[in-house]
Amino acid sequence: MTQNTTAAPAATDSAPAGQWWRDAVIYQVYPRSFADGNGDGMGDLPGITARLPHLRDLGVDAVWLSPFYASPQADAGYDVADYRAVDPVFGTLTDADELIRAAHALGLRVIVDIVPNHCSDRHEWFRQALREGPGSPARERFLFRAGRGAAGELPPNDWESVFGGPAWTRVPDGEWYLHLFAPEQPDFDWDHPAVHDEFRSVLRFWLDLGVDGFRIDVAHGLVKAPGLPDVGHGEQVKLLGKQAVPYFDQDGVHEIYRGWRRILDEYSGGSERIAVAEAWTPTVERSARYLRRGELHQAFNFEYLTTGWDAAALRAVIDRSLTAMDAVGAPATWVLSNHDVVRHTTRLSGEGGAGDGDGGARGTRRARAATLLMLALPGSAYLYQGEELGLPEVTDLPDEVRQDPAFFRGAGQDGTRDGCRVPLPWSGRRAPYGFGPVEGGPSWLPQPDSWRDLSVAAQTGDPASTLEFYRRALAARRAHPALGAGPGLVWLPSPEGVLAFSRTAAGGSFVCTVNLTGAPVALPTPGTVLLAGADVVPGAEETVLPADSAVWWAA
Ligand code: GLC
């Protein structure tokens, strides 16, 4: 393997030179479900490379790839057995190299996932820790402890796994080890210098291969409170992201990221290498702490993602996000969907599943409006594969095909993450709809029949389709000077349930209006329509915004 010499694409947007990430639209690829090059029913790296032109045509700036590293797949690859190897199910290191080069040649940057909180129980370090037993140096790289109770038969503390059940598993020699997720995902002990050295080396490995950045998995989890104190009560998953717990968002994590930032800066040159934190913190203000000078570049805005279809609540979280990020000089980020949450077409429908009653149609209307709102906000936006096709959550997967470990542990993240991970439909009238090369061939999760009409091929060229709507939105976002990095926003007077704001840059002004109510609302016409998420007939003075719709205006 040679060092990757392909240059990262030139900055083409309005962010300062090299700081492409400040207003980037970053598209999450979930490798097992994106495109299957070899027909085994599981997506792979050659499949992704072959489909990169779709992402260029969509108009995104960068691709973030969920893990494709060597892994027993106990948590769909978030259980890494070798951080420097590609799992054979996804391809080879040469395939990864080719993917990165092909993406760069198309003007797309590449961000990869790094999973530093835990590894797989098949990782060489953990196998060694099990072999060498209590008191061995190999155990010190993980969190092994004696149990409580007369015979050590109780877990060392009351911490619970995010996937449900105790966060501790006992090994045959009597010690327990900590796993904040599945038992197959032992947590590293970040007090150990070897863990620091290892991850710095892993960062360099992928940077040398040419990646443009990292998405840091469970970035808030690496450091645990000294002494591993009890939380004090159960059902801890309900506290997560709302209240402090001794295993998340400890101040010690920041020193780690200051070290990582120095490495990223070493590689940056004319185009910065970035890191984005997956940190489920109680507030955007806590998230902003990961983005202080000398730390990370971006953090996912989960407070935005979890805010419902409510104008006042959205306006409040937008204001708080912009203020908090501004205070540390970081761009805000916006996200509606990812591989861990119910797809927003379904989530915003207000009903359990797309297709019940008017839920499907309402979900689609709201999803488009939500997309226009998100892409109009200052900063950077994350898209999840398939949202550009308007895919709903698959809510009726039979239990026997499910693979989410949270499903089997019966709690935590409610165990339904397979519903947003169903393989994408690309073309054709028969499953797997072009996901794999063979009609009638396998896909690791079954796709609904209705997806034949949602494939990339079925939607391409249809101006009413969600796909063409996303393409128009991303093109308009690139073209308009007041969008993307542009300036902050100014709220305009609007009736209850309606959001209206303007953004003004040297080359022109822009207005976004969003009607979040279930009824049409008349507003003063702010300019000429740049893009509408629904049928809108602009009047000279007033324009009626349909229920659950958004419009972009050139003002
Ligand atoms: C993150 C990932 C999720 C995974 C977990 C454990 O939350 O997004 O998919 O299960 O970390 O690695």
Side-chain angles (χ1 to χ4, degrees):
M1 183 67 42
T2 53
Q3 278 215 346
N4 192 319
T5 49
T6 50
T12 53
D13 34 44
S14 48
Q19 300 200 346
W20 58 275
W21 47 277
R22 286 193 169 270
D23 64 351
V25 176
I26 300 175
Y27 180 103
Q28 179 186 359
V29 166
Y30 194 63
R32 50 170 49 215
S33 304
F34 189 70
D36 171 15
N38 64 4
D40 65 356
M42 186 67 83
D44 48 42
L45 299 184
I48 298 168
T49 304
R51 295 292 190 181
L52 287 173
H54 167 67
L55 302 182
R56 180 210 43 210
D57 297 346
L58 184 59
V60 300
D61 301 291
V63 182
W64 147 37
L65 299 162
S66 279
F68 49 80
Y69 315 113
S71 161
Q73 306 288 319
D75 183 20
Y78 282 97
D79 49 318
V80 181
D82 183 344
Y83 290 86
R84 298 177 186 78
V86 173
D87 196 280
V89 85
F90 296 123
T92 63
L93 208 47
T94 306
D95 294 329
D97 187 46
E98 282 170 7
L99 190 163
I100 295 164
R101 289 169 189 274
H104 285 170
L106 293 175
L108 296 165
R109 290 181 169 82
V110 180
I111 291 172
V112 295
D113 227 296
I114 186 158
V115 189
N117 180 68
H118 47 261
C119 58
S120 158
D121 60 349
R122 313 279 175 80
H123 188 284
E124 186 44 40
W125 281 10
F126 194 73
R127 294 155 78 112
Q128 201 187 346
L130 290 183
R131 268 196 318 270
E132 297 186 7
S136 66
R139 287 221 168 166
E140 290 170 10
R141 296 186 291 216
F142 298 92
L143 289 154
F144 279 90
R145 294 289 183 274
R148 295 204 273 209
E153 73 282 9
L154 299 172
N157 68 17
D158 70 356
W159 296 2
E160 292 171 359
S161 154
V162 176
F163 293 158
W168 296 90
T169 289
R170 199 172 195 193
V171 299
D173 57 50
E175 281 201 331
W176 299 74
Y177 67 90
L178 179 74
H179 52 85
L180 292 181
F181 294 87
E184 296 87 353
Q185 294 168 294
D187 280 46
F188 286 112
D189 184 348
W190 275 87
D191 282 340
H192 198 299
V195 176
H196 290 252
D197 290 347
E198 172 64 2
F199 276 93
R200 286 193 291 251
S201 156
V202 170
L203 289 176
R204 289 183 186 281
F205 178 86
W206 291 101
L207 288 165
D208 285 340
L209 208 65
V211 303
D212 299 284
F214 299 91
R215 176 263 190 191
I216 306 173
D217 188 63
V218 197
H220 55 316
L222 280 49
V223 172
K224 279 74 181 177
L228 313 184
D230 280 340
V231 173
H233 57 88
E235 295 202 284
Q236 290 163 19
V237 74
K238 294 193 179 147
L239 307 180
L240 301 181
K242 297 193 181 79
Q243 199 173 306
V245 288
Y247 42 86
F248 281 145
D249 198 27
Q250 300 296 304
D251 286 346
V253 294
H254 297 285
E255 188 53 37
I256 298 170
Y257 299 133
R258 283 191 279 272
W260 289 18
R261 177 59 182 258
R262 288 192 288 275
I263 296 175
L264 292 167
D265 285 350
E266 261 180 56
Y267 281 82
S268 282
S271 168
E272 293 182 2
R273 312 292 181 103
I274 70 156
V276 53
E278 187 220 16
W280 292 83
T281 62
T283 60
V284 284
E285 291 77 11
R286 290 297 298 185
S287 295
R289 291 163 54 86
Y290 291 76
L291 311 178
R292 290 172 297 189
R293 199 180 161 78
E295 294 194 38
L296 306 175
H297 299 74
Q298 296 183 341
F300 292 116
N301 193 337
F302 292 124
E303 206 177 330
Y304 184 73
L305 184 151
T306 52
T307 301
W309 191 240
D310 174 319
L314 282 167
R315 179 172 166 163
V317 68
I318 291 166
D319 280 340
R320 291 202 16 241
S321 305
L322 292 172
T323 305
M325 298 305 151
D326 209 40
V328 292
T333 68
W334 315 100
V335 59
L336 292 168
S337 280
N338 66 33
H339 66 293
D340 291 330
V341 301
V342 172
R343 282 186 177 277
H344 64 272
T345 296
T346 301
R347 205 175 65 234
L348 298 176
S349 72
E351 293 186 22
D356 344 347
D358 180 43
R362 184 169 57 219
T364 301
R365 283 199 304 272
R366 288 184 178 176
R368 285 192 186 196
T371 298
L372 282 192
L373 171 60
M374 169 172 85
L375 292 175
L377 295 170
S380 177
Y382 281 81
L383 308 182
Y384 176 52
Q385 67 177 38
E387 71 171 77
E388 79 279 23
L389 305 177
L391 296 185
E393 182 81 1
V394 180
T395 52
D396 57 357
L397 286 171
D399 289 358
E400 58 277 13
V401 303
R402 288 179 180 277
Q403 300 205 9
D404 180 359
F407 178 74
F408 301 102
R409 290 175 69 81
Q413 301 197 345
D414 66 22
T416 56
R417 296 181 302 168
D418 289 316
C420 63
R421 299 175 176 181
V422 173
L424 294 193
W426 291 92
S427 60
R429 307 301 295 165
R430 260 185 88 196
Y433 308 114
F435 167 66
V438 183
E439 244 195 63
S443 66
W444 73 277
L445 286 173
Q447 301 148 305
D449 293 344
S450 56
W451 284 20
R452 74 165 68 92
D453 299 322
L454 295 178
S455 72
V456 173
Q459 295 196 40
T460 295
D462 172 1
S465 72
T466 304
L467 177 57
E468 293 296 352
F469 163 75
Y470 264 75
R471 288 177 175 158
R472 287 196 299 274
L474 290 167
R477 181 183 152 104
R478 268 173 197 258
H480 200 288
L483 281 169
L489 58 79
V490 175
W491 293 105
L492 304 174
S494 61
E496 200 179 324
V498 173
L499 295 176
F501 60 86
S502 68
R503 301 181 63 193
T504 304
S509 290
F510 162 87
V511 170
C512 177
T513 52
V514 191
N515 176 7
L516 293 96
T517 74
V521 176
L523 291 178
T525 302
T528 55
V529 173
L530 199 58
L531 188 68
D535 285 337
V536 171
V537 184
E541 302 288 322
E542 265 195 353
T543 300
V544 175
L545 275 191
D548 296 317
S549 72
V551 180
W552 284 1
W553 308 84

